[in-house]
Amino acid sequence: MEITGWLLDADYIIEDDVPIIRLFLSTEDGPVQARIDSFTPYFYLVPAEDIDDLAEAVADLEPEEGTITGTEQTTRVDNGQKQEVLKVETAVPPDVPKLKDQCWELDAVQEAREFDIPFYKRFLFDHDLRPPSRITVEGDPLTDPSFDGQTIAATSVAQTETDDILPSDTLAFDLEVYKDEIIMCSFYSDGYRKVLVNEEDGFEAEYVEPVASEQALLERMMAIIKDRDPDILVGYNTDEYDFDVLRDRCEEHGLELTIGRTDRRVTFQRRGRFQGALVEGRIHLDLYAFVSTVMSMTMDTETLTLDAVAQELLGKQKEDMHWEDIKNAWRDREQLDELASYALKDSELAYELAESIVPQIHSLSVLTGLVPFDTCRTSYGQLVENFMIREAAQRDILVPNRPSQRRIGERHSQGDYLGGFVYEPEEGLHEDIAIFDFRSLYPTIILSHNISPDTLDRAECTDELAVEVDEETYTFCQDEQGFIPALLDDLVTERYEIKDSLQELDEQTQAYRDADNRQNALKILSNAFYGYLGYASARWYSRPSAEATTKLGREYIHETIDIAEEMGFEVAYGDTDSVFLKGETIQTDMDTFLDRVNSMLPSYMELEFEGYFERGLFTYTDEGRGAKKTYALLSPDGDLKITGFEYVRRDWSRLARETQEQVIRHVLENDVEGAVEVVTATIEDLKNGDVDPESLTIYTSMSKRPENYDTKAPHVEAAKKAQKRGHDIGAGDTVDYVITAGGGSISDRAELTQYADDYDATYYIDKQIIPVAHRVLKVFGYSEEQLRGEGKQSGLNQFA
DNA sequence: CTTGACCGGGG
DNA sequence: GTGTACGGTCAAG
């Protein structure tokens, strides 16, 4: 029989000493497990000298551990050169590491290769499967009571359409815990809301289901997941928190945590510093894992709390209930419906985040060939590397070995190399700024200059590109396209095509969203190659390639600046791939400028017009030089774009942040006096006690329990005082406090916001408002004293 | 200035 | 499990 379905996940098991690949599918007729028993584990040996000598030595080998089931002489491409290798096949995957060690000791062996690629990945890469798109399997039905669905013994597997990606069938969940016991478990899905509550009385909401005990809650929770049987299970920080709790509590009650489609319990896959909770037969995605590893790079928020991430991506907030309130409410059995609603909200946010994030994970999976479980938890470096390994398999390229710890240390100890060029701005206000930037600068440099470890310093080459970096000269052979440029060629070309086609699609359609996710995945991956070349743990690490890339980037920016200056524009600022230009004729001469720059650029590279701004503010550093990476821009429609002002952080009060934004806005609207007035008025309000203490709150997280601090710090003292009032504050809690009026040190007067009846105006003026305002207004000659409303001559700080 | 410990998210 | 992979910040040395 033949079955077509979306490939959710893959793994392998060993039965009767035979490795069996298991593919978990979702089909229109329900879950399917396809088992393949014909795939053989293998690795490669590179001969020290002669391939026949090597083959003979391996044939004579009597392994102490593991079984060699066959060998084959074949040819692969190694660092751009043809290389004869011996493919060694083993009985089971665990034999591979054992046998490669024994083989590597043979004199005839130079080195072993491709011995550490997990068996299920090897299978997916070699068959060019792209989870979670659709595949077709052929074979006979099989009885397997351990799987909740149909099982078939597959004899053939093939990818069908890669653009037919798994439709959403998602269940979000979240736990609430009090004193190490689960008190609530919420679920959210399309048309489904449920909060299980370990408390039988007092709840009104229709979605609440009371249960009699924690054990009953766990049993009901597992039953709900099995009953709803979702392909995808999501949550926020579920790998490191919720599943940890579930494991512990199930153990406590003697329950098995089985919520997958097999009879196996949830397993925890250690991967360096993270663990992933694997639910067999489904895709468990921890949205925090993907947000923190991949998405945070392009996000504005500094913290990756569910609240902040939902705020930025969805424009929505969690309900306004603090952890302290939750504990108290539960302890006193008060506001129970608010509690349930809070619990539900977290699942709802996770579900809504999943609607936008999961398709991105899927697109990256289709591109890299990783299963969504892995894509969700993989760093940029691993994403690139897995993509390269799969492409290497398709091109008969021999994958380099991972560097040893010693080698990684050596790479680190080489220190940093020069990055992008940053133009030091002249401080003050600049008018009429046009910003231009290079479209995908580093990917297009690598592509158009054929920068790659396998084109570097080639012995026989007719067309060489020399790049001088410091004292060194690196040459990249232009005769044939290198491995990395070839990959980027595909990625960049496809992305440009999709970007073009997007313009003809309606944004509301699924086709648009699919194409947009695909182009975003292409962008994420292609932008990660440059970083990968300089990543010390990379198999294809090439510091010369990374250095040459930034060197060429600096050259292109300099040439762009030269052309701009020749044309009479003034350069206000520039950073790595962008230039900020000024000049009365900038609007009319823009096309000429772009033409001149673009005509000097090689193919693929392009300078684009990014935007026009009426005014820009640049500050200077304490040394009196133009501050790089710190500026504010005002667009013609009144939008502010603020970059790098360090006071715009959570460890500053909201009043300070808002004051700085207002000051910047006034200054950009050519109203410096108005900016000063904002400061003066804010100071007056503070002095008169007219400011809401909420806007003075400062947030700091506790790294340890309050009593374990040796030093006296405001947040620690506030926490200690709160403890005396009966609060339970532990390591990891975020403390929100206000500096109150009165005598003693700052720390003595720090109180949790809820207990702050007043505030210390002097503190907020001197330590919060003046610094953020002065940061901007010093550019216009204002001293801190002047902003405080004192005569410059006084020089005394009366508030000290 | 360099080195080592700590931290992220969750309740 | 064909295991075990981060990067930034901050206090101490």
Side-chain angles (χ1 to χ4, degrees), chain A residues 663-681:
Chain A
V663 166
I664 289 171
R665 178 174 286 282
H666 277 283
V667 162
L668 282 174
E669 284 167 355
N670 252 344
D671 182 15
V672 177
E673 281 179 19
V676 176
E677 277 165 27
V678 165
V679 182
T680 324

Side-chain angles (χ1 to χ4, degrees), chain A residues 252-529:
Chain A
E252 176 73 24
H253 296 289
L255 297 170
E256 295 239 316
L257 183 58
T258 50
I259 53 174
R261 285 170 174 159
T262 70
D263 59 3
R264 296 247 293 265
R265 61 173 81 176
V266 173
T267 57
F268 293 82
Q269 317 242 315
R270 267 256 152 247
R271 296 154 176 239
R273 136 192 129 76
F274 276 120
Q275 65 178 3
L278 186 86
V279 180
E280 281 189 359
R282 306 186 203 284
I283 309 176
H284 165 229
L285 299 175
D286 178 350
L287 300 176
Y288 168 71
F290 188 69
V291 166
S292 62
T293 52
V294 173
M295 295 180 71
S296 62
M297 287 282 272
T298 52
M299 288 177 65
D300 292 329
T301 174
E302 297 221 0
T303 55
L304 299 177
T305 57
L306 176 58
D307 207 9
V309 170
Q311 175 70 42
E312 180 166 339
L313 298 180
L314 308 171
K316 285 189 173 181
Q317 252 170 338
K318 261 166 86 159
E319 266 174 33
D320 194 26
M321 202 163 177
H322 295 286
W323 173 227
E324 195 66 29
D325 305 333
I326 293 162
K327 280 191 297 191
N328 293 340
W330 181 260
R331 186 192 59 210
D332 304 334
R333 295 297 191 271
E334 287 169 350
Q335 295 176 274
L336 290 178
D337 280 317
E338 280 91 335
L339 272 184
S341 146
Y342 171 90
L344 185 67
K345 192 79 185 173
D346 277 6
S347 285
E348 185 182 349
L349 285 180
Y351 182 83
E352 290 182 1
L353 279 177
E355 288 185 303
S356 70
I357 293 175
V358 171
Q360 294 188 53
I361 295 173
H362 287 348
S363 289
L364 267 175
S365 297
V366 172
L367 193 55
T368 58
L370 290 172
V371 291
F373 179 87
D374 286 336
T375 303
C376 179
R377 296 160 173 86
T378 295
S379 66
Y380 274 96
Q382 295 296 318
L383 220 47
V384 171
E385 192 153 281
N386 280 290
F387 174 71
M388 290 182 74
I389 292 172
R390 188 175 60 75
E391 289 295 320
Q394 302 296 313
R395 295 159 201 247
D396 287 344
I397 288 172
L398 206 52
V399 175
N401 289 337
R402 314 174 65 143
S404 62
Q405 280 305 316
R406 194 177 57 82
R407 193 87 194 83
I408 292 171
E410 284 167 11
R411 290 174 179 180
H412 278 298
S413 67
Q414 279 207 62
D416 295 337
Y417 54 89
L418 215 46
F421 169 74
V422 188
Y423 185 97
E424 186 183 315
E426 203 171 291
E427 73 270 14
L429 275 184
H430 297 254
E431 304 267 333
D432 303 324
I433 295 172
I435 300 181
F436 299 87
D437 59 15
F438 283 93
R439 183 175 66 168
S440 305
L441 179 69
Y442 288 159
T444 57
I445 285 178
I446 293 168
L447 173 49
S448 56
H449 297 79
N450 211 29
I451 292 172
S452 193
D454 56 336
T455 61
L456 173 70
D457 296 334
R458 291 288 294 273
E460 290 169 30
C461 180
T462 56
D463 180 11
E464 287 185 336
L465 168 77
V467 183
E468 282 180 44
V469 184
D470 293 330
E471 308 291 284
E472 304 267 358
T473 301
Y474 304 123
T475 58
F476 295 93
C477 186
Q478 307 295 305
D479 293 351
E480 281 172 54
Q481 198 170 38
F483 182 36
I484 289 177
L487 299 179
L488 280 170
D489 202 348
D490 292 346
L491 296 173
V492 167
T493 305
E494 188 191 342
R495 174 149 187 263
Y496 291 167
E497 285 169 8
I498 295 176
K499 291 275 274 186
D500 285 343
S501 74
L502 276 180
Q503 294 175 350
E504 283 141 41
L505 289 171
D506 178 358
E507 284 190 29
Q508 306 304 320
T509 60
Q510 188 59 40
Y512 181 95
R513 285 192 290 271
D514 290 347
D516 194 43
N517 282 317
R518 173 79 182 174
Q519 72 82 19
N520 198 247
L522 291 162
K523 178 183 175 178
I524 286 171
L525 197 62
S526 49
N527 284 341
F529 271 85

Side-chain angles (χ1 to χ4, degrees), chain A residues 106 177 182 205 262 264 393 434 451 483 581 592 631 660 739 758:
Chain A
L106 300 169
V177 176
I182 302 170
T262 70
R264 296 247 293 265
I451 292 172
F483 182 36
L581 301 182
T592 320
Y631 57 87
Q660 189 174 54
I739 306 299
D758 54 19

Side-chain angles (χ1 to χ4, degrees), chain A residues 22-70:
Chain A
R22 297 193 300 179
L23 302 179
F24 296 105
L25 310 184
S26 175
T27 75
E28 270 128 18
D29 301 318
V32 169
Q33 171 196 209
R35 298 163 62 113
I36 297 106
D37 62 6
S38 56
F39 188 59
T40 310
Y42 65 88
F43 64 100
Y44 294 106
L45 293 173
V46 176
E49 284 171 27
D50 185 61
I51 185 75
D52 293 319
D53 292 348
L54 166 58
E56 215 171 291
V58 172
D60 292 344
L61 182 73
E62 286 174 14
E64 287 172 21
E65 276 189 295
T67 310
I68 295 176
T69 56

Side-chain angles (χ1 to χ4, degrees), chain A residues 44-46 51 72-74 76 83-87 398:
Chain A
Y44 294 106
L45 293 173
V46 176
I51 185 75
E72 184 197 345
Q73 287 188 27
T74 179
R76 286 290 177 275
Q83 174 68 56
E84 293 201 294
V85 291
L86 188 72
K87 182 178 182 179
L398 206 52

Side-chain angles (χ1 to χ4, degrees), chain A residues 613-629:
Chain A
F613 294 88
E614 283 187 351
R615 225 161 277 127
L617 169 71
F618 293 86
T619 64
Y620 54 92
T621 64
D622 290 339
E623 293 89 57
R625 304 175 54 198
K628 296 173 176 179
K629 298 184 190 288

